[in-house]
Amino acid sequence: MTSLGQNLKIDGDRLWDSLMEMAKIGPGVAGGNNRQTLTDEDGEGRALFQKWCEEASCTMGLDQMGNMFAVRAGTDPDALPVYVGSHLDTQPTGGKYDGVLGVLAGLELIRSLNDMNIKTKHPIVATNFTNEEGTRYAPAMLSSGVFAGIHTQDWAYEREDAEGKKFGDELKRIGWRGEEEVGARKMHAFFELHIEQGPILEAEGKDIGVVTHGQGLSWTQVTITGKDAHTGSTPMPMRRNAGLAMARILETVDEIAWSHAPHAVGAAGHIDVYPNSRNVIPGKVVFTVDFRSPDLDVITDMENQLRDKGSQIAEAMGVGIEFEKVGGFDPVAFDQSCVGAVRDAADRLGYSHLDIISGAGHDACWINRVAPTAMVMCPCVDGLSHNEAEEISKDWAEAGANVLFHAVVETAEIVE
Ligand code: HGY
Ligand code: MN
Ligand code: MN
């Protein structure tokens, strides 16, 4: 019987080669990736993942949100599977590792179990969740959210991208809408390996993040309505400048986040200006304010301050303003026994580690609602992510995947 000793390791070269191979699909313009959800490039990435999983003797399940489940059989057909995975979709200026590392590390641990001819009582399922990023279709973590019963599938199918294309139509168009009922699969546990996307682990010189919690997230879409007018001939007192109102509100967003230092954060990443013409005062702007904090009361206060102060600014400037909550989730506490399995694995393998709160949202944050869940993190260079220059070391990838391997296999129970 193979014990969970130091020799139980993944093949770091093979994992790295798979990461580099996947990165060739949907390349960005500066060395990263633009493989947005439900694009043809997403379809290509899915096909490559499916090919690799079948080569690893997995059977692939596909549900009605396009979530992919590569199943490695266990010895006990009645035992609930241990799921392991993340997402293959990227930001428009994304890196090669955000999400992808977690999906391919799940595949790599299956490949390694095959190499060592190790059997587990519980099946193990390598997973790819559709549209984690929420960049083309808001909100983020849409499909793991449907899987966990947070959103209805009908609502998800109706989400529209900037060109008015619906999620359900695009999923069918790329040929990755499965037949399985979403959420019908029950999990013994779920583990996700992800790059930190922040600076803490690298700054502290730690190989592994043991993720105890995930901070909460709030997305508020703000629409400001002023009046299109000529930038040259319209006197200043007559202007109803939606763009200027947005600028003042974004300054306020920054002040609101700083008012809850050191943990709260706030910014707007999505901004649409209409008509976006050099010599027209913007008559309308639409932007999304992203607030985050480990403390739910702080998130609620930031949302309330945005509405109060934003409304005052709009009234003083004679423009209209509307607020719509378009995404969010409460702070998450991961399952203590799964977190313990991650921490024990890091200790057993001799990796330095640090308990950490995830600054970014992940599919694990929703799956935590329906199954015991934990995350493993590895550092990333300068804490940079959602940027094509996102980078990790091969050693960091290997260490994270080894800890994931041990946590998953310990939970899936080696049989022989
Ligand atoms: O927004 C997030 O935190 C994640 O990267 N989708
Ligand atoms: Mn991610
Ligand atoms: Mn991301």
Side-chain angles (χ1 to χ4, degrees):
M1 150 102 158
T2 308
S3 67
L4 282 175
Q6 282 270 358
N7 63 329
L8 203 68
K9 295 269 181 72
I10 58 109
D11 180 334
D13 291 334
R14 182 170 57 193
L15 172 60
W16 194 256
D17 291 347
S18 298
L19 284 164
M20 294 305 113
E21 195 64 29
M22 182 61 75
K24 291 175 186 169
I25 299 175
V29 295
N33 275 109
N34 179 7
R35 194 173 54 244
Q36 296 183 57
T37 197
L38 307 189
T39 58
D40 294 338
E41 292 77 9
D42 181 19
E44 277 179 61
R46 289 164 172 269
L48 180 58
F49 176 58
Q50 170 142 340
K51 172 175 169 287
W52 284 339
C53 291
E54 288 169 349
E55 287 167 356
S57 307
C58 295
T59 51
M60 185 63 78
L62 185 67
D63 73 14
Q64 295 175 30
M65 285 296 290
N67 297 319
M68 300 173 74
F69 305 102
V71 182
R72 180 181 196 261
T75 58
D76 177 351
D78 299 326
L80 288 181
V82 175
Y83 285 70
V84 55
S86 190
H87 62 93
L88 289 175
D89 67 307
T90 76
Q91 288 284 338
T93 55
K96 299 190 283 284
Y97 312 98
D98 173 359
V100 185
L101 176 62
V103 175
L104 297 187
L107 168 61
E108 174 52 36
L109 71 86
I110 287 176
R111 285 168 164 169
S112 299
L113 288 171
N114 292 344
D115 292 347
M116 293 181 253
N117 195 24
I118 292 175
K119 291 181 175 50
T120 57
K121 173 186 173 191
H122 297 260
I124 291 173
V125 183
T127 307
N128 168 36
F129 285 107
T130 305
N131 187 39
E132 187 280 341
E133 290 294 359
T135 182
R136 186 182 176 194
Y137 293 99
M141 298 107 74
L142 179 61
S143 302
S144 49
V146 175
F147 187 94
I150 310 299
H151 313 300
T152 68
Q153 184 173 308
D154 291 346
W155 180 79
Y157 272 28
E158 289 301 302
R159 313 301 293 152
E160 291 187 2
D161 68 4
E163 294 167 11
K165 292 177 182 171
K166 290 188 190 302
F167 179 96
D169 297 340
E170 283 293 278
L171 179 63
K172 285 178 197 138
R173 182 187 66 78
I174 67 166
W176 285 92
R177 181 194 184 283
E179 293 309 319
E180 276 188 25
E181 179 197 343
V182 185
R185 286 174 175 266
K186 301 307 170 197
M187 299 179 174
H188 181 56
F190 176 73
F191 290 92
E192 179 171 5
L193 167 62
H194 206 289
I195 61 171
E196 179 197 341
Q197 299 182 294
I200 298 167
L201 293 176
E202 185 184 42
E204 298 290 330
K206 302 294 183 186
D207 298 321
I208 297 292
V210 178
V211 188
T212 58
H213 298 77
Q215 70 175 348
L217 172 155
S218 158
W219 281 358
T220 302
Q221 181 169 291
V222 183
T223 302
I224 298 177
T225 310
K227 188 172 184 179
D228 297 5
H230 198 298
T231 50
S233 53
T234 309
M236 293 302 277
M238 287 177 61
R239 296 179 179 209
R240 290 173 51 216
N241 186 337
L244 179 59
M246 173 184 69
R248 289 179 178 165
I249 290 173
L250 290 185
E251 183 67 39
T252 303
V253 164
D254 196 60
E255 290 161 3
I256 291 169
W258 278 106
S259 74
H260 286 290
H263 297 302
V265 291
H270 151 245
I271 297 176
D272 289 325
V273 179
Y274 302 92
N276 203 25
S277 167
R278 290 177 182 79
N279 44 11
V280 178
I281 296 165
K284 177 181 171 186
V285 296
V286 182
F287 57 101
T288 304
V289 175
D290 178 325
F291 280 131
R292 310 210 189 184
S293 166
D295 182 333
L296 183 58
D297 291 341
V298 168
I299 292 174
T300 306
D301 177 67
M302 292 196 288
E303 289 173 332
N304 293 337
Q305 282 198 58
L306 170 64
R307 288 168 184 262
D308 294 346
K309 294 178 178 176
S311 301
Q312 287 165 24
I313 289 168
E315 188 178 352
M317 295 181 68
V319 296
I321 192 166
E322 293 165 46
F323 303 92
E324 181 191 356
K325 184 82 178 279
V326 294
F329 57 85
D330 294 354
V332 169
F334 289 114
D335 175 84
Q336 283 312 306
S337 68
C338 290
V339 171
V342 169
R343 192 180 291 114
D344 293 349
D347 278 334
R348 186 184 312 126
L349 289 160
Y351 294 125
S352 58
H353 58 87
L354 180 71
D355 284 11
I356 193 169
I357 294 173
S358 174
H362 303 287
D363 292 309
C365 297
W366 281 144
I367 301 303
N368 188 56
R369 296 284 185 94
V370 293
T373 296
M375 292 189 72
V376 184
M377 278 189 176
C378 75
C380 53
V381 176
D382 299 334
L384 186 65
S385 182
H386 286 193
N387 182 307
E388 290 205 45
E390 177 188 278
E391 200 49 74
I392 64 173
S393 74
K394 183 165 165 289
D395 289 346
W396 285 341
E398 190 165 348
N402 279 327
V403 169
L404 181 76
F405 187 16
H406 276 232
V408 166
V409 169
E410 180 181 333
T411 308
E413 299 176 42
I414 289 179
V415 171
E416 57 190 87

